[in-house]
Amino acid sequence: METLRIEGLTKTFGAGNLEVRALREINLSVSRGELAALLGPSGSGKTTLLLCVSLILEPTAGKIVFDGQTIFEKNRWSEVDIRRLRREKVGFIFQAHNLIPFLTARQNVLLPLNLVGIKGQKAENRVRELLEYMEIAHRADNLPALLSGGEQQRVAIARALANTPKLILADEPTAALDTARGAKVMELLKEVARENRTTVIVVTHDERMIKGFDQVYRLKDGCLNGDRERTV
Amino acid sequence: MDLAFQDLKLHKGRFIATMVGVGLLFGIVLAMNGIYRGVIYEGTALIKATGPDLWVVQRYRGGPFNEQSTLPEFFHYSVKSIPGVEKASPFIFYTVERMVDGQSRHFSIVGYDVFGGLGGPKKIVAGRPIQQAHYEMVANVKLGARIDDRIALGLHTYTVVGLTNDAVDPDGDPIVYLSLHDAQEVLYQQDNEEVRNQRERLLRTLSAQNWLTPDKAQKLLDPPGADTHIINAVLVKLKPGISRVQTARMVEKWLYLNAYGTKDEVGLVLKGRLTSMTHQLLLFRMLLLLISVVIISLVIYTFTMEKIRSIAVMKLIGAPDRVIVRLVIEQSLLLTVGAFLLGFVLISNTYSMFPRRILLLPADDAVTFAVAVAAGVLASILGLRHALKTQPAMALGG
Ligand SMILES: Nc1ncnc2c1ncn2[C@@H]1O[C@H](COP(=O)(O)OP(=O)(O)OP(=O)(O)O)[C@@H](O)[C@H]1O
Ligand SMILES: [Mg+2]
């Protein structure tokens, strides 16, 4: 089953002399439980693509179908509550500063649960389960500033998973980590995709990180380079 | 989990310091409410406590508190003869600066007919009212005197027989009650040496006139003497069912005097003596509230700016705007309400130490609280605008 389908997605910033064509006619499709990598050099449009998919940036043209629902078509958003869609069905992990600095690790994971109305013991249990899954439960009551980069990313993954999203979007989740820790975080993301049947799209510019991904999309100057390649 | 509170835990020091500062401002605002009420209370306390149906004063005068009013003492007989008047009592009121217990004190003296006349002290908290024609006094405890103390005023010494605790003149200074004739004596009786000097001066002036022999001049020095039988007002009690307005008009027409009801008298004092003061206080309270709003706005704005990235993250993970609005407004309200409580506790525990009366009314406190809360919401607008404009994409920046 298809989680996300993008057809002819184009994003242009500015106009006239200042026009930047960040994305040109992008087509891609990711199925449930699939692990997709979005590879490309700096400025190739990776973040822009992610922002369009997560409904933060409005595409200039194209169509986005998410979880069977057309959310963008013919230059306009469909009648969907975008924030609600994000908090219920999408998880985010980004390069750094994912966590809210004034909340403890536990509270950071609790926040998305509270946002969808899960409270009390049920929420606490879910938080503990997630932190244990990410092997970070022993730091539950620390503020993010006291956690290492790798520990912070594990809390961020726990938070992204909290509401069992259909799609996890990760923008260079390993960029701020050393190779060993980065590899560990990638392993966790793969595990998440497999065990939870969650679709994961990871943006990275590090070729070494994409081992074991189901799909790899290569972006260059806003274009997908050739067809998607299947890795094994 | 309360986001606003969690965030403040990280800024405890700055938050509490601001709260104390704004709390002091709110305390001053509350104190000014109390000063305002106190000024009105004290300014009209004597009039209300005396509370006759009519105050009869000198023609064209707004006396006896707003301006001098002088009447011959016997006028109260004339007033008594007006139909409908049940009782008409002489009344004298003036302010003095005398030594009490070795210290120079500013206070007012009220003289009244101690044998059943109007205008005496309303509530005696210790001792008894004046019962003799001479040399007894009832004083406000604020004067510092105790029962049986002997206080010298002018030529004589007066024994404190009773104490009041709320009799103050319009300036908030204590009132001393004396019998009418004692009060007149304290006001008008001159020292013997002073009398001799005055007679000497008069004799010289008269002798300078060619048509007077020294003998005759000497005789002219013995007029009935300086008239001390002077009062400031006649207090009137009307018979039941008699119209105040009509009696006042009769007094004005037949006796060529002015007559005011107690309400009019209060109005005169409020309008004449207290308006500029009350406007002044109102203006200052508004300025202080404005300063509070500015301080709270700035602090909330910096708090919001510092967590703008967190706000972007919250938006990115799908927090609705109301969560963000609540985060900002709640901090502003916590600050405002905390500061108000601080100011309230402060002033409630210290108001009795102020030199003049601070009258704290629950209604005033409630209105100030409401204004403060509104100010707190207003103060969060700046930060709120910024928070709501924040783009979720900002969370993804490196
Ligand atoms: N808000 C914007 N206004 C104008 N141009 C923009 C804006 N956001 C991105 N761009 C441009 O769009 C292009 C793609 O940017 P994007 O951030 O998607 O690149 P990226 O692949 O994520 O790069 P990096 O690896 O450095 O994160 C760049 O040329 C960038 O300058
Ligand atoms: Mg990027």
Side-chain angles (χ1 to χ4, degrees):
Chain A
M1 202 187 100
E2 219 174 31
T3 303
L4 179 71
R5 189 172 79 245
I6 291 172
E7 292 171 10
L9 189 75
T10 299
K11 175 67 189 174
T12 311
F13 290 111
N17 275 348
L18 295 172
E19 191 178 270
V20 180
R21 305 192 67 190
L23 296 174
R24 311 169 194 221
E25 302 273 331
I26 304 284
N27 298 305
L28 65 77
S29 155
V30 197
S31 303
R32 182 165 180 204
E34 251 187 344
L35 193 60
L38 203 56
L39 222 70
S42 185
S44 57
K46 305 184 295 289
T47 301
T48 306
L49 180 55
L50 227 55
L51 288 174
C52 286
V53 170
S54 47
L55 316 171
I56 288 166
L57 273 184
E58 185 176 347
T60 312
K63 181 176 177 181
I64 303 174
V65 182
F66 174 61
D67 194 29
Q69 196 180 3
T70 303
I71 52 175
F72 185 84
E73 193 177 17
K74 296 199 188 97
N75 302 332
R76 58 182 209 87
W77 300 107
S78 315
E79 297 289 312
V80 284
D81 181 343
I82 292 164
R83 295 251 186 112
R84 179 166 174 193
L85 207 71
R86 281 214 295 272
R87 67 177 173 264
E88 286 178 355
K89 295 188 175 173
V90 186
F92 289 92
I93 304 162
F94 22 100
Q95 190 170 328
H97 313 293
N98 274 292
L99 304 179
I100 291 170
F102 54 82
L103 299 180
T104 63
R106 188 183 63 77
Q107 291 168 330
N108 263 288
V109 182
L110 185 60
L111 180 61
L113 291 166
N114 283 353
L115 288 179
V116 298
I118 302 173
K119 301 213 160 105
Q121 200 52 48
K122 194 173 162 211
E124 294 294 340
N125 290 343
R126 173 86 178 131
V127 170
R128 189 160 353 98
E129 180 190 314
L130 286 163
L131 289 176
E132 273 163 14
Y133 182 38
M134 289 295 128
E135 294 171 10
I136 191 73
H138 57 293
R139 307 302 301 268
D141 290 317
N142 285 116
L143 289 176
L146 297 176
L147 302 178
S148 74
E151 287 172 330
Q152 287 185 29
Q153 289 308 66
R154 278 188 272 158
V155 178
I157 297 172
R159 183 184 66 191
L161 282 173
N163 291 329
T164 50
K166 292 271 187 314
L167 176 66
I168 288 183
L169 296 171
D171 191 5
E172 313 212 27
T174 60
L177 305 177
D178 59 48
T179 321
R181 289 217 171 86
K184 170 79 179 153
V185 166
M186 274 307 186
E187 279 313 309
L188 282 172
L189 282 175
K190 283 180 213 164
E191 222 175 284
V192 163
R194 270 195 303 277
E195 291 178 8
N196 300 291
R197 300 268 292 137
T198 305
T199 308
V200 178
I201 299 179
V202 182
V203 163
T204 179
H205 53 241
D206 191 344
E207 294 273 353
R208 291 168 302 172
M209 293 292 179
I210 60 170
K211 210 159 59 79
F213 275 58
D214 301 318
Q215 294 192 59
V216 176
Y217 290 95
R218 291 179 190 278
L219 255 181
K220 193 160 181 274
D221 297 332
C223 297
L224 275 185
N225 239 3
D227 283 329
R228 63 184 185 184
E229 46 189 277
R230 284 252 170 217
T231 58
V232 185
Chain B
M1 177 174 60
D2 187 81
L3 294 172
F5 187 70
Q6 295 300 334
D7 179 42
L8 288 183
K9 283 211 297 206
L10 283 192
H11 308 289
K12 249 181 274 154
R14 191 146 40 107
F15 185 74
I16 289 173
T18 314
M19 199 156 93
V20 169
V22 177
L24 288 174
L25 286 178
F26 282 157
I28 296 172
V29 171
L30 289 173
M32 281 187 162
N33 290 344
I35 293 170
Y36 170 77
R37 295 292 176 189
V39 161
I40 289 181
Y41 178 86
E42 288 183 334
T44 58
L46 179 60
I47 302 172
K48 285 179 179 161
T50 308
D53 291 330
L54 286 175
W55 297 78
V56 177
V57 297
Q58 196 179 346
R59 186 81 161 156
Y60 306 129
R61 300 285 174 127
F65 301 103
N66 267 13
E67 64 171 308
Q68 188 63 45
S69 147
T70 326
L71 305 171
E73 185 183 323
F74 68 85
F75 266 35
H76 71 269
Y77 296 115
S78 322
V79 175
K80 173 76 179 72
S81 66
I82 301 267
V85 172
E86 185 178 321
K87 202 186 258 185
S89 314
F91 181 83
I92 187 167
F93 165 84
Y94 55 91
T95 297
V96 293
E97 174 89 32
R98 300 288 165 102
M99 299 297 283
V100 176
D101 205 13
Q103 276 183 321
S104 179
R105 295 295 306 270
H106 199 72
F107 57 96
S108 288
I109 291 177
V110 165
Y112 70 107
D113 173 7
V114 298
F115 300 111
L118 304 168
K122 272 281 123 60
K123 208 173 74 197
I124 293 192
V125 293
R128 57 169 176 82
I130 297 171
Q131 283 167 356
Q132 289 182 23
H134 288 293
Y135 311 132
E136 288 189 347
M137 69 157 69
V138 167
N140 187 329
V141 281
K142 265 172 91 177
L143 194 66
R146 279 157 312 208
I147 299 282
D148 289 339
D149 276 2
R150 296 169 61 76
I151 292 171
L153 295 172
L155 301 179
H156 301 287
T157 305
Y158 300 82
T159 307
V160 178
V161 297
L163 295 173
T164 67
N165 63 3
D166 57 356
V168 288
D169 69 15
D171 294 322
D173 291 322
I175 282 177
V176 164
Y177 287 92
L178 296 175
S179 74
L180 180 68
H181 293 126
D182 282 355
Q184 288 168 333
E185 197 170 313
V186 169
L187 181 59
Y188 296 114
Q189 196 63 266
Q190 291 156 318
D191 178 73
N192 289 344
E193 194 61 35
E194 196 187 341
V195 173
R196 254 195 299 279
N197 286 343
Q198 215 172 48
R199 291 168 68 105
E200 196 63 32
R201 263 200 315 277
L202 188 55
L203 183 64
R204 223 167 290 153
T205 318
L206 292 174
S207 306
Q209 313 291 334
N210 304 337
W211 51 274
L212 271 178
T213 66
D215 217 32
K216 278 184 178 158
Q218 186 71 45
K219 277 198 182 114
L220 281 174
L221 284 181
D222 291 325
D227 184 9
T228 65
H229 291 281
I230 297 254
I231 56 173
N232 302 127
V234 175
L235 310 182
V236 174
K237 186 179 174 204
L238 296 175
K239 289 180 182 148
I242 297 298
S243 156
R244 210 175 290 210
V245 178
Q246 271 170 20
T247 314
R249 207 153 296 148
M250 266 190 271
V251 168
E252 282 164 13
K253 210 160 120 194
W254 294 351
L255 301 178
Y256 288 99
L257 298 171
N258 267 24
Y260 301 101
T262 287
K263 258 209 194 105
D264 305 325
E265 193 66 41
V266 166
L268 276 179
V269 170
L270 286 184
K271 213 166 129 238
R273 298 172 65 123
L274 301 178
T275 23
S276 59
M277 172 79 165
T278 51
H279 286 172
Q280 179 102 326
L281 285 170
L282 188 71
L283 191 67
F284 266 96
R285 281 181 288 171
M286 274 159 45
L287 282 176
L288 285 171
L289 279 173
L290 200 66
I291 295 171
S292 310
V293 172
V294 170
I295 295 178
I296 298 172
S297 311
L298 285 178
V299 170
I300 293 302
Y301 184 71
T302 15
F303 278 162
T304 308
M305 286 300 284
E306 280 168 12
K307 55 175 175 289
I308 214 73
R309 201 187 165 103
S310 301
I311 289 171
V313 171
M314 286 182 208
K315 287 188 172 181
L316 186 73
I317 65 172
D321 278 345
R322 92 186 120 76
V323 169
I324 287 146
V325 168
R326 191 178 146 188
L327 170 62
V328 176
I329 288 202
E330 205 176 303
Q331 290 192 339
S332 187
L333 287 183
L334 269 173
L335 185 60
T336 313
V337 172
F340 183 88
L341 286 180
L342 212 74
F344 181 75
V345 168
L346 186 76
I347 202 68
S348 305
N349 285 295
T350 54
Y351 74 97
S352 56
M353 292 179 227
F354 282 74
R356 282 201 62 174
R357 181 185 277 265
I358 299 219
L359 197 63
L360 299 174
L361 302 182
D364 282 350
D365 295 341
V367 169
T368 311
F369 181 70
V371 172
V373 168
V377 173
L378 192 74
S380 60
I381 286 178
L382 203 62
L384 208 54
R385 261 178 50 119
H386 207 84
L388 289 178
K389 274 198 319 210
T390 304
Q391 294 298 320
M394 202 185 145
L396 275 82

